[in-house]
mmCIF file of all heavy atoms in Angstrom:
data_model
loop_
_atom_site.group_PDB
_atom_site.id
_atom_site.type_symbol
_atom_site.label_atom_id
_atom_site.label_comp_id
_atom_site.label_asym_id
_atom_site.label_seq_id
_atom_site.Cartn_x
_atom_site.Cartn_y
_atom_site.Cartn_z
ATOM 1 N N GLY A 245 24.403 15.736 -12.632
ATOM 2 C CA GLY A 245 24.397 14.278 -12.479
ATOM 3 C C GLY A 245 25.768 13.649 -12.273
ATOM 4 O O GLY A 245 25.871 12.428 -12.157
ATOM 5 N N ASP A 246 26.803 14.473 -12.181
ATOM 6 C CA ASP A 246 28.144 13.897 -12.096
ATOM 7 C C ASP A 246 28.605 13.634 -10.678
ATOM 8 O O ASP A 246 29.640 12.987 -10.475
ATOM 9 C CB ASP A 246 29.176 14.775 -12.824
ATOM 10 C CG ASP A 246 29.226 16.176 -12.279
ATOM 11 O OD1 ASP A 246 28.333 16.552 -11.492
ATOM 12 O OD2 ASP A 246 30.168 16.933 -12.635
ATOM 13 N N VAL A 247 27.871 14.115 -9.713
ATOM 14 C CA VAL A 247 28.234 13.881 -8.303
ATOM 15 C C VAL A 247 27.046 13.298 -7.582
ATOM 16 O O VAL A 247 25.928 13.830 -7.683
ATOM 17 C CB VAL A 247 28.686 15.171 -7.605
ATOM 18 C CG1 VAL A 247 28.998 14.905 -6.131
ATOM 19 C CG2 VAL A 247 29.907 15.747 -8.303
ATOM 20 N N THR A 248 27.296 12.240 -6.841
ATOM 21 C CA THR A 248 26.237 11.601 -6.042
ATOM 22 C C THR A 248 26.756 11.380 -4.635
ATOM 23 O O THR A 248 27.959 11.233 -4.423
ATOM 24 C CB THR A 248 25.808 10.256 -6.638
ATOM 25 O OG1 THR A 248 26.945 9.380 -6.700
ATOM 26 C CG2 THR A 248 25.229 10.421 -8.020
ATOM 27 N N LYS A 249 25.835 11.400 -3.678
ATOM 28 C CA LYS A 249 26.168 11.147 -2.286
ATOM 29 C C LYS A 249 25.111 10.186 -1.718
ATOM 30 O O LYS A 249 23.964 10.222 -2.136
ATOM 31 C CB LYS A 249 26.183 12.427 -1.465
ATOM 32 C CG LYS A 249 27.280 13.394 -1.859
ATOM 33 C CD LYS A 249 28.654 12.862 -1.510
ATOM 34 C CE LYS A 249 29.739 13.890 -1.858
ATOM 35 N NZ LYS A 249 31.107 13.333 -1.620
ATOM 36 N N TYR A 250 25.559 9.382 -0.764
ATOM 37 C CA TYR A 250 24.663 8.425 -0.131
ATOM 38 C C TYR A 250 24.835 8.458 1.376
ATOM 39 O O TYR A 250 25.955 8.640 1.875
ATOM 40 C CB TYR A 250 24.950 7.015 -0.649
ATOM 41 C CG TYR A 250 24.762 6.849 -2.137
ATOM 42 C CD1 TYR A 250 25.795 7.053 -3.027
ATOM 43 C CD2 TYR A 250 23.499 6.544 -2.657
ATOM 44 C CE1 TYR A 250 25.625 6.938 -4.388
ATOM 45 C CE2 TYR A 250 23.310 6.417 -4.029
ATOM 46 C CZ TYR A 250 24.367 6.615 -4.883
ATOM 47 O OH TYR A 250 24.187 6.500 -6.225
ATOM 48 N N ALA A 251 23.735 8.252 2.073
ATOM 49 C CA ALA A 251 23.821 8.083 3.504
ATOM 50 C C ALA A 251 24.526 6.782 3.819
ATOM 51 O O ALA A 251 24.420 5.812 3.062
ATOM 52 C CB ALA A 251 22.424 8.087 4.118
ATOM 53 N N ASP A 252 25.247 6.742 4.928
ATOM 54 C CA ASP A 252 25.953 5.525 5.304
ATOM 55 C C ASP A 252 25.028 4.331 5.406
ATOM 56 O O ASP A 252 25.420 3.181 5.150
ATOM 57 C CB ASP A 252 26.685 5.744 6.654
ATOM 58 C CG ASP A 252 27.843 6.716 6.528
ATOM 59 O OD1 ASP A 252 28.291 6.972 5.390
ATOM 60 O OD2 ASP A 252 28.277 7.240 7.586
ATOM 61 N N SER A 253 23.790 4.606 5.783
ATOM 62 C CA SER A 253 22.833 3.524 5.998
ATOM 63 C C SER A 253 22.509 2.763 4.724
ATOM 64 O O SER A 253 22.019 1.632 4.758
ATOM 65 C CB SER A 253 21.530 4.065 6.604
ATOM 66 O OG SER A 253 20.957 5.012 5.738
ATOM 67 N N THR A 254 22.783 3.388 3.561
ATOM 68 C CA THR A 254 22.462 2.702 2.299
ATOM 69 C C THR A 254 23.456 1.585 2.010
ATOM 70 O O THR A 254 23.150 0.671 1.246
ATOM 71 C CB THR A 254 22.416 3.678 1.146
ATOM 72 O OG1 THR A 254 23.712 4.247 0.930
ATOM 73 C CG2 THR A 254 21.428 4.801 1.419
ATOM 74 N N GLU A 255 24.667 1.685 2.583
ATOM 75 C CA GLU A 255 25.663 0.573 2.510
ATOM 76 C C GLU A 255 25.916 0.106 1.094
ATOM 77 O O GLU A 255 26.032 -1.086 0.847
ATOM 78 C CB GLU A 255 25.217 -0.575 3.400
ATOM 79 C CG GLU A 255 25.033 -0.210 4.844
ATOM 80 C CD GLU A 255 24.386 -1.308 5.657
ATOM 81 O OE1 GLU A 255 23.516 -2.033 5.117
ATOM 82 O OE2 GLU A 255 24.747 -1.478 6.834
ATOM 83 N N GLY A 256 25.908 1.020 0.131
ATOM 84 C CA GLY A 256 26.195 0.646 -1.233
ATOM 85 C C GLY A 256 25.050 -0.051 -1.950
ATOM 86 O O GLY A 256 25.245 -0.582 -3.050
ATOM 87 N N ARG A 257 23.892 -0.031 -1.353
ATOM 88 C CA ARG A 257 22.781 -0.762 -1.963
ATOM 89 C C ARG A 257 21.867 0.135 -2.782
ATOM 90 O O ARG A 257 20.925 -0.363 -3.421
ATOM 91 C CB ARG A 257 21.971 -1.444 -0.858
ATOM 92 C CG ARG A 257 22.759 -2.510 -0.098
ATOM 93 C CD ARG A 257 21.958 -3.096 1.069
ATOM 94 N NE ARG A 257 21.752 -2.101 2.120
ATOM 95 C CZ ARG A 257 20.558 -1.597 2.416
ATOM 96 N NH1 ARG A 257 19.488 -1.957 1.749
ATOM 97 N NH2 ARG A 257 20.451 -0.704 3.373
ATOM 98 N N PHE A 258 22.094 1.442 -2.772
ATOM 99 C CA PHE A 258 21.246 2.383 -3.501
ATOM 100 C C PHE A 258 22.068 3.020 -4.617
ATOM 101 O O PHE A 258 23.269 3.283 -4.461
ATOM 102 C CB PHE A 258 20.714 3.466 -2.588
ATOM 103 C CG PHE A 258 19.750 2.997 -1.546
ATOM 104 C CD1 PHE A 258 19.437 1.683 -1.347
ATOM 105 C CD2 PHE A 258 19.096 3.953 -0.755
ATOM 106 C CE1 PHE A 258 18.541 1.279 -0.388
ATOM 107 C CE2 PHE A 258 18.171 3.565 0.210
ATOM 108 C CZ PHE A 258 17.907 2.223 0.405
ATOM 109 N N THR A 259 21.432 3.280 -5.748
ATOM 110 C CA THR A 259 22.071 3.996 -6.850
ATOM 111 C C THR A 259 21.125 5.056 -7.360
ATOM 112 O O THR A 259 20.008 4.735 -7.809
ATOM 113 C CB THR A 259 22.458 3.058 -7.983
ATOM 114 O OG1 THR A 259 23.307 2.010 -7.494
ATOM 115 C CG2 THR A 259 23.171 3.807 -9.092
ATOM 116 N N ILE A 260 21.557 6.310 -7.308
ATOM 117 C CA ILE A 260 20.731 7.415 -7.782
ATOM 118 C C ILE A 260 21.208 7.820 -9.171
ATOM 119 O O ILE A 260 22.387 7.754 -9.492
ATOM 120 C CB ILE A 260 20.801 8.612 -6.801
ATOM 121 C CG1 ILE A 260 19.753 9.656 -7.138
ATOM 122 C CG2 ILE A 260 22.202 9.199 -6.748
ATOM 123 C CD1 ILE A 260 19.614 10.751 -6.071
ATOM 124 N N SER A 261 20.269 8.258 -9.999
ATOM 125 C CA SER A 261 20.602 8.727 -11.329
ATOM 126 C C SER A 261 19.563 9.750 -11.768
ATOM 127 O O SER A 261 18.510 9.874 -11.146
ATOM 128 C CB SER A 261 20.651 7.557 -12.314
ATOM 129 O OG SER A 261 19.392 6.922 -12.426
ATOM 130 N N ARG A 262 19.869 10.477 -12.811
ATOM 131 C CA ARG A 262 18.931 11.447 -13.323
ATOM 132 C C ARG A 262 19.014 11.506 -14.848
ATOM 133 O O ARG A 262 20.077 11.258 -15.427
ATOM 134 C CB ARG A 262 19.132 12.829 -12.720
ATOM 135 C CG ARG A 262 20.380 13.545 -13.114
ATOM 136 C CD ARG A 262 20.575 14.822 -12.279
ATOM 137 N NE ARG A 262 19.576 15.852 -12.567
ATOM 138 C CZ ARG A 262 19.294 16.865 -11.778
ATOM 139 N NH1 ARG A 262 19.935 17.003 -10.605
ATOM 140 N NH2 ARG A 262 18.403 17.773 -12.121
ATOM 141 N N ASP A 263 17.912 11.875 -15.438
ATOM 142 C CA ASP A 263 17.814 12.073 -16.878
ATOM 143 C C ASP A 263 17.260 13.473 -17.080
ATOM 144 O O ASP A 263 16.050 13.676 -16.958
ATOM 145 C CB ASP A 263 16.902 11.012 -17.491
ATOM 146 C CG ASP A 263 16.831 11.100 -19.011
ATOM 147 O OD1 ASP A 263 17.091 12.181 -19.569
ATOM 148 O OD2 ASP A 263 16.509 10.071 -19.633
ATOM 149 N N ASN A 264 18.131 14.416 -17.323
ATOM 150 C CA ASN A 264 17.679 15.796 -17.412
ATOM 151 C C ASN A 264 16.774 16.025 -18.619
ATOM 152 O O ASN A 264 15.917 16.918 -18.593
ATOM 153 C CB ASN A 264 18.882 16.739 -17.449
ATOM 154 C CG ASN A 264 19.488 16.955 -16.058
ATOM 155 O OD1 ASN A 264 18.909 16.553 -15.056
ATOM 156 N ND2 ASN A 264 20.642 17.589 -16.014
ATOM 157 N N ALA A 265 16.978 15.277 -19.705
ATOM 158 C CA ALA A 265 16.109 15.425 -20.857
ATOM 159 C C ALA A 265 14.691 15.017 -20.532
ATOM 160 O O ALA A 265 13.722 15.616 -21.046
ATOM 161 C CB ALA A 265 16.647 14.616 -22.012
ATOM 162 N N GLU A 266 14.534 14.011 -19.700
ATOM 163 C CA GLU A 266 13.214 13.520 -19.288
ATOM 164 C C GLU A 266 12.716 14.169 -18.001
ATOM 165 O O GLU A 266 11.604 13.879 -17.553
ATOM 166 C CB GLU A 266 13.258 12.005 -19.122
ATOM 167 C CG GLU A 266 13.554 11.231 -20.390
ATOM 168 C CD GLU A 266 12.451 11.389 -21.416
ATOM 169 O OE1 GLU A 266 11.279 11.470 -21.022
ATOM 170 O OE2 GLU A 266 12.776 11.461 -22.620
ATOM 171 N N LYS A 267 13.556 15.010 -17.380
ATOM 172 C CA LYS A 267 13.212 15.633 -16.099
ATOM 173 C C LYS A 267 12.851 14.576 -15.063
ATOM 174 O O LYS A 267 11.810 14.649 -14.400
ATOM 175 C CB LYS A 267 12.050 16.627 -16.266
ATOM 176 C CG LYS A 267 12.419 17.865 -17.080
ATOM 177 C CD LYS A 267 11.272 18.882 -17.062
ATOM 178 C CE LYS A 267 11.634 20.134 -17.801
ATOM 179 N NZ LYS A 267 10.532 21.136 -17.755
ATOM 180 N N ALA A 268 13.691 13.591 -14.938
ATOM 181 C CA ALA A 268 13.391 12.497 -14.029
ATOM 182 C C ALA A 268 14.605 12.118 -13.201
ATOM 183 O O ALA A 268 15.755 12.263 -13.664
ATOM 184 C CB ALA A 268 12.894 11.277 -14.804
ATOM 185 N N ILE A 269 14.354 11.672 -12.013
ATOM 186 C CA ILE A 269 15.400 11.165 -11.113
ATOM 187 C C ILE A 269 14.967 9.780 -10.665
ATOM 188 O O ILE A 269 13.790 9.549 -10.412
ATOM 189 C CB ILE A 269 15.548 12.083 -9.879
ATOM 190 C CG1 ILE A 269 15.738 13.542 -10.281
ATOM 191 C CG2 ILE A 269 16.740 11.630 -9.007
ATOM 192 C CD1 ILE A 269 14.462 14.321 -10.266
ATOM 193 N N TYR A 270 15.931 8.895 -10.556
ATOM 194 C CA TYR A 270 15.637 7.538 -10.162
ATOM 195 C C TYR A 270 16.562 7.120 -9.014
ATOM 196 O O TYR A 270 17.660 7.637 -8.875
ATOM 197 C CB TYR A 270 15.878 6.568 -11.334
ATOM 198 C CG TYR A 270 15.177 6.997 -12.603
ATOM 199 C CD1 TYR A 270 15.854 7.647 -13.611
ATOM 200 C CD2 TYR A 270 13.823 6.717 -12.789
ATOM 201 C CE1 TYR A 270 15.228 8.050 -14.765
ATOM 202 C CE2 TYR A 270 13.170 7.110 -13.944
ATOM 203 C CZ TYR A 270 13.879 7.761 -14.932
ATOM 204 O OH TYR A 270 13.233 8.149 -16.062
ATOM 205 N N VAL A 271 16.068 6.198 -8.211
ATOM 206 C CA VAL A 271 16.938 5.569 -7.243
ATOM 207 C C VAL A 271 16.647 4.063 -7.274
ATOM 208 O O VAL A 271 15.513 3.635 -7.121
ATOM 209 C CB VAL A 271 16.810 6.171 -5.827
ATOM 210 C CG1 VAL A 271 15.414 6.034 -5.247
ATOM 211 C CG2 VAL A 271 17.855 5.575 -4.905
ATOM 212 N N GLN A 272 17.677 3.302 -7.555
ATOM 213 C CA GLN A 272 17.568 1.869 -7.579
ATOM 214 C C GLN A 272 17.972 1.343 -6.215
ATOM 215 O O GLN A 272 19.061 1.692 -5.698
ATOM 216 C CB GLN A 272 18.485 1.273 -8.648
ATOM 217 C CG GLN A 272 18.435 -0.228 -8.771
ATOM 218 C CD GLN A 272 17.182 -0.731 -9.409
ATOM 219 O OE1 GLN A 272 16.652 -0.146 -10.339
ATOM 220 N NE2 GLN A 272 16.630 -1.830 -8.879
ATOM 221 N N LEU A 273 17.130 0.524 -5.608
ATOM 222 C CA LEU A 273 17.409 -0.013 -4.282
ATOM 223 C C LEU A 273 17.486 -1.538 -4.393
ATOM 224 O O LEU A 273 16.591 -2.166 -4.948
ATOM 225 C CB LEU A 273 16.309 0.368 -3.293
ATOM 226 C CG LEU A 273 15.960 1.848 -3.120
ATOM 227 C CD1 LEU A 273 14.942 2.326 -4.133
ATOM 228 C CD2 LEU A 273 15.442 2.125 -1.735
ATOM 229 N N ILE A 274 18.544 -2.086 -3.883
ATOM 230 C CA ILE A 274 18.698 -3.546 -3.906
ATOM 231 C C ILE A 274 18.933 -4.052 -2.478
ATOM 232 O O ILE A 274 19.253 -3.298 -1.574
ATOM 233 C CB ILE A 274 19.856 -3.992 -4.816
ATOM 234 C CG1 ILE A 274 21.195 -3.461 -4.266
ATOM 235 C CG2 ILE A 274 19.638 -3.519 -6.242
ATOM 236 C CD1 ILE A 274 22.411 -4.035 -5.009
ATOM 237 N N ASN A 275 18.739 -5.364 -2.309
ATOM 238 C CA ASN A 275 18.976 -6.015 -1.013
ATOM 239 C C ASN A 275 18.298 -5.208 0.107
ATOM 240 O O ASN A 275 18.918 -4.879 1.119
ATOM 241 C CB ASN A 275 20.470 -6.133 -0.744
ATOM 242 C CG ASN A 275 20.782 -7.036 0.434
ATOM 243 O OD1 ASN A 275 19.925 -7.851 0.830
ATOM 244 N ND2 ASN A 275 21.950 -6.914 0.987
ATOM 245 N N LEU A 276 17.021 -4.947 -0.094
ATOM 246 C CA LEU A 276 16.289 -4.100 0.857
ATOM 247 C C LEU A 276 16.127 -4.801 2.220
ATOM 248 O O LEU A 276 15.976 -6.012 2.299
ATOM 249 C CB LEU A 276 14.939 -3.740 0.291
ATOM 250 C CG LEU A 276 14.992 -2.620 -0.789
ATOM 251 C CD1 LEU A 276 13.714 -2.607 -1.618
ATOM 252 C CD2 LEU A 276 15.223 -1.279 -0.100
ATOM 253 N N LYS A 277 16.159 -3.961 3.248
ATOM 254 C CA LYS A 277 16.001 -4.452 4.605
ATOM 255 C C LYS A 277 14.716 -3.850 5.198
ATOM 256 O O LYS A 277 14.244 -2.812 4.727
ATOM 257 C CB LYS A 277 17.196 -4.006 5.451
ATOM 258 C CG LYS A 277 18.529 -4.515 4.934
ATOM 259 C CD LYS A 277 19.688 -4.024 5.779
ATOM 260 C CE LYS A 277 21.009 -4.539 5.250
ATOM 261 N NZ LYS A 277 22.165 -4.072 6.077
ATOM 262 N N PRO A 278 14.154 -4.482 6.224
ATOM 263 C CA PRO A 278 12.939 -3.956 6.829
ATOM 264 C C PRO A 278 13.061 -2.507 7.274
ATOM 265 O O PRO A 278 12.063 -1.766 7.222
ATOM 266 C CB PRO A 278 12.713 -4.900 8.013
ATOM 267 C CG PRO A 278 13.329 -6.180 7.583
ATOM 268 C CD PRO A 278 14.543 -5.809 6.792
ATOM 269 N N GLU A 279 14.246 -2.087 7.686
ATOM 270 C CA GLU A 279 14.407 -0.689 8.106
ATOM 271 C C GLU A 279 14.340 0.270 6.938
ATOM 272 O O GLU A 279 14.385 1.493 7.131
ATOM 273 C CB GLU A 279 15.723 -0.506 8.877
ATOM 274 C CG GLU A 279 16.944 -1.067 8.195
ATOM 275 C CD GLU A 279 17.302 -2.480 8.671
ATOM 276 O OE1 GLU A 279 16.381 -3.294 8.877
ATOM 277 O OE2 GLU A 279 18.511 -2.742 8.822
#
């Protein structure tokens, strides 16, 4: 969980995280566009 990468198209609007204890991964998306 210490390294994350994003596609250029996300333009800083996405945040990925994980909780290994819960076996879960999340991505928060803000300022969403139709594309």
